[in-house]
Amino acid sequence: DGGITQSPKYLFRKEGQNVTLSCEQNLNHDAMYWYRQDPGQGLRLIYYSQIVNDFQKGDIAEGYSVSREKKESFPLTVTSAQKNPTAFYLCASSNPQEVEAFFGQGTRLTVV
Amino acid sequence: AQSVTQPDIHITVSEGASLELRCNYSYGATPYLFWYVQSPGQGLQLLLKYFSGDTLVQGIKGFEAEFKRSQSSFNLRKPSVHWSDAAEYFCAACGGGGYQKVTFGTGTKLQVIP
C-alpha cells in the first residue's frame, strides 16, 4: 500500500545532541513537508521541498535542517540549536493536482 | 495575514447527538479548504475538501461541511456522533492549487460521552 512512513515513533535525545527523524513516501509525490505540533498550537511548518535537491524554510525553521537527495525521502535533523525540541513531528507529502497533504503517523521527540 | 480560526478548543457531545465544528478563514481570495481528523498519537487523515462548486461537501465517516463565502466559514457537521469520532479535528486552508502553503487552525478536541 502507498503511504508515508515515519520512524522512529518515539525518540529520546539528550540535550546538546543532534537527532534525525526519518520520512519516506512511496506515493510518488513531488512535494514533502515537515510540521511540528504542540498542544493548542496546531501544526506549524518547519521546512518543505517541492523537488529533489531543493527545499525552503517554513515558519519555524531555526534549529532544524533537512535534505532531499531522493524523491522518496525527506529526513529532518533537529539540531542542538533548537531551544525547545520536545514535540510531535509530522511529515507530509502532496502533488499539485491533488493539493491535499497526506500525513505520516508522526514521531514524538522527547529531550531528556 | 492568512489565518484559520477554530474558536472551540474542546467540545463535548453525547453519542447520537449532532455535531458542528466551527472554522473561519481569512484569505485574500476564496482558498481551498480542508478538514482533517487526528486520533491521539497518530497522523492526520483527510475528511473532506472544498475547491469550488457545490458548497456542501460530503466526506468520509459520515461527515459533511458547508462553505459559506459571506461568513468566511467552513463548518464541519455530522448528524449523529459515534464514540469512535472522539478525536481532534483540524481545519486547514491554502491559497490554491500547486504548492501553496497550507495554514492550519489550532484544532478542536471532541469528546463523546455515552
Side-chain angles (χ1 to χ4, degrees):
Chain A
D1 287 336
I4 301 177
T5 301
Q6 289 187 242
S7 61
K9 189 169 177 65
Y10 299 96
L11 190 55
F12 296 86
R13 164 197 124 175
K14 293 183 178 179
E15 278 193 36
Q17 290 181 338
N18 293 353
V19 63
T20 297
L21 283 60
S22 169
C23 179
E24 303 276 335
Q25 56 101 355
N26 60 3
L27 300 168
N28 200 33
H29 285 171
D30 292 320
M32 297 186 74
Y33 312 81
W34 274 106
Y35 290 90
R36 171 179 171 141
Q37 186 177 19
D38 297 282
Q41 296 196 48
L43 276 70
R44 292 182 290 168
L45 183 64
I46 304 172
Y47 269 98
Y48 65 101
S49 167
Q50 297 178 8
I51 195 170
V52 173
N53 292 323
D54 187 48
F55 46 83
Q56 288 79 41
K57 293 181 180 180
D59 299 319
I60 55 165
E62 185 176 351
Y64 300 97
S65 66
V66 293
S67 64
R68 186 88 186 276
E69 297 177 1
K70 299 186 300 181
K71 186 175 184 178
E72 302 79 18
S73 179
F74 191 42
L76 173 74
T77 296
V78 184
T79 75
S80 55
Q82 170 49 234
K83 298 188 187 310
N84 186 20
T86 295
F88 191 55
Y89 291 88
L90 286 161
C91 179
S93 69
S94 73
N95 264 346
Q97 296 81 6
E98 295 165 321
V99 184
E100 72 266 25
F102 292 79
F103 284 83
Q105 294 302 294
T107 293
R108 183 165 300 281
L109 172 64
T110 303
V111 174
V112 296
Chain B
Q2 298 168 339
S3 66
V4 174
T5 302
Q6 294 179 247
D8 303 307
I9 298 174
H10 288 99
I11 282 186
T12 300
V13 300
S14 298
E15 191 169 15
S18 63
L19 171 70
E20 182 168 28
L21 303 183
R22 296 183 290 165
C23 173
N24 293 96
Y25 64 88
S26 175
Y27 267 74
T30 299
Y32 289 10
L33 295 160
F34 312 89
W35 273 100
Y36 286 89
V37 61
Q38 183 182 34
S39 297
Q42 301 296 313
L44 276 68
Q45 180 184 19
L46 181 72
L47 286 174
L48 47 78
K49 61 189 178 186
Y50 172 78
F51 292 171
S52 64
D54 192 346
T55 57
L56 187 62
V57 181
Q58 300 298 320
I60 63 171
K61 305 186 179 189
F63 285 92
E64 66 177 26
E66 185 171 14
F67 169 67
K68 292 186 177 180
R69 184 190 307 274
S70 61
Q71 298 177 20
S72 296
S73 70
F74 188 56
N75 294 350
L76 182 71
R77 301 194 295 243
K78 187 170 185 178
S80 178
V81 170
H82 188 262
W83 64 266
S84 60
D85 293 324
E88 191 158 19
Y89 293 80
F90 291 92
C91 182
C94 72
Y99 299 111
Q100 301 281 343
K101 179 189 170 186
V102 177
T103 299
F104 285 84
T106 52
T108 297
K109 196 164 289 188
L110 173 65
Q111 181 182 6
V112 180
I113 55 178

